[in-house]
Amino acid sequence: SSGINAEYGDESKETHHLFYDGESVTGKVDIKLKQEGKKLEHQGIKIEFLGLIEIYYDRGNHYEFVKLDKDLARPGMLTESCCFPFEFLKVVKQYESYAGRNVRLRYFLKVTISRRLVDIIHEKGIVVHQLSCYPETNSPLKMEVGIEDCLHIEFEYNRSKYHLNDVIVGKIYFILVRIKIKHMELSIIKRETTGSGPNTYNENEQISRFEIMDGAPVRGESIPIRLFLSAYDLTPTMKDVNKKFSVRYYLNLVLVDEEDRRYFKQQEVTLWRKSPASLKPENRGVAALENMRT
């Protein structure tokens, strides 16, 4: 299968196998005895495909939304290193893998060698990407920023929905300027929401910020905007994932006057993952748990 570099929570960045919804997950489990001739008694060997949501401030609870399992061996005795093939056919993976400030959604394979005293457990993570089609409707975004008799600005973005390698194109029009604007900046804000009701917690993260104007604008002036999303580490917009969390993105326009007063205007945009050109329609995924030592 193809690989992707991913970093999850406190884990170091490493290459994971990449899968899509509906693909099969197949491979092999290699169990190697530390010493040839040594015996390993066990109460059975199984492999599980798991999907979990972990909220960091609720560490006692893991929310399991996928669990598939297969027996690899009946209770018995291993007298030599061995290999067990496994196959999970056309697995439904309804959510995208995600690692945020307060929540993690992960998929992994888990092999358990059951023993009377202490089980031997080995895990291997995979990454899942959710693909979307081009939106049927994708209207331009038009907004206004105004302070009565002092400032009137209109700004327009070419669309409201963008794929992760898209380019945001827009313009800002100064219709009335009676305050001295020092500079203007545009940023992408990622808002991660966990919990619900009175226990809702929002975490805002500034993904990018760049200055689009330095100096005082004049009435009738327009400023173009071009923002290349591929330069940033973004995920698709995620809404109410398993009723546990959401991830939304906003374009945040900030104007600063000569007295350092700041004027804000924020607009949500929807991000989605486009199917890569190299993706073939047939199932391609093969994940392997290898060199599992006992």
Side-chain angles (χ1 to χ4, degrees), residues 23 25 46-51 64-71 87-93 108-110:
E23 283 191 320
V25 181
K46 69 175 180 179
I47 185 169
E48 297 170 281
F49 180 88
L50 297 165
E64 194 176 89
F65 58 88
V66 173
K67 183 175 182 180
L68 304 172
D69 60 78
K70 289 184 179 294
D71 290 326
E87 185 175 51
F88 295 102
L89 292 175
K90 298 181 179 179
V91 181
V92 175
K93 313 173 205 65
F108 60 99
L109 292 159
K110 177 181 176 182

Side-chain angles (χ1 to χ4, degrees), residues 48 60 70 74 84 86 97 112-113 140 231-232 258 279:
E48 297 170 281
K70 289 184 179 294
R74 294 179 179 179
F84 298 98
F86 68 88
S97 299
T112 303
I113 302 176
Y232 307 107
E258 289 191 337
L279 183 65

Side-chain angles (χ1 to χ4, degrees), residues 48-212:
E48 297 170 281
F49 180 88
L50 297 165
L52 293 180
I53 296 174
E54 302 166 351
I55 298 176
Y56 297 147
Y57 56 77
D58 187 17
R59 289 190 178 273
N61 292 317
H62 292 170
Y63 303 97
E64 194 176 89
F65 58 88
V66 173
K67 183 175 182 180
L68 304 172
D69 60 78
K70 289 184 179 294
D71 290 326
L72 299 178
R74 294 179 179 179
M77 185 84 69
L78 293 181
T79 58
E80 60 183 0
S81 299
C82 53
C83 177
F84 298 98
F86 68 88
E87 185 175 51
F88 295 102
L89 292 175
K90 298 181 179 179
V91 181
V92 175
K93 313 173 205 65
Q94 63 189 111
Y95 305 123
E96 171 136 347
S97 299
Y98 176 74
R101 295 277 184 91
N102 293 307
V103 63
R104 174 170 72 163
L105 188 153
R106 68 186 185 109
Y107 296 86
F108 60 99
L109 292 159
K110 177 181 176 182
V111 172
T112 303
I113 302 176
S114 298
R115 304 188 72 192
R116 286 181 178 174
L117 295 178
V118 180
D119 292 344
I120 300 171
I121 296 174
H122 186 80
E123 295 181 358
K124 185 175 182 68
I126 69 167
V127 170
V128 171
H129 281 175
Q130 284 290 331
L131 304 178
S132 301
C133 299
Y134 278 95
E136 292 183 6
T137 59
N138 202 351
S139 304
L141 287 175
K142 295 182 179 182
M143 290 171 293
E144 296 184 3
V145 176
I147 303 172
E148 189 173 357
D149 297 328
C150 293
L151 181 69
H152 185 188
I153 298 174
E154 290 183 354
F155 55 102
E156 179 179 339
Y157 302 114
N158 59 335
R159 296 194 293 276
S160 58
K161 301 171 184 177
Y162 298 90
H163 62 75
L164 299 182
N165 293 313
D166 220 334
V167 181
I168 296 176
V169 178
K171 277 190 176 182
I172 299 173
Y173 303 92
F174 292 87
I175 298 170
L176 177 65
V177 184
R178 288 181 180 166
I179 57 176
K180 293 184 178 180
I181 301 295
K182 186 166 61 175
H183 74 268
M184 180 164 51
E185 60 190 38
L186 182 68
S187 59
I188 300 174
I189 304 294
K190 172 184 169 183
R191 180 172 298 159
E192 179 186 283
T193 303
T194 52
S196 60
N199 297 317
T200 299
Y201 185 76
N202 290 314
E203 179 80 34
N204 290 332
E205 178 184 354
Q206 184 172 271
I207 302 296
S208 72
R209 184 182 72 177
F210 68 99
E211 197 172 80
I212 55 178

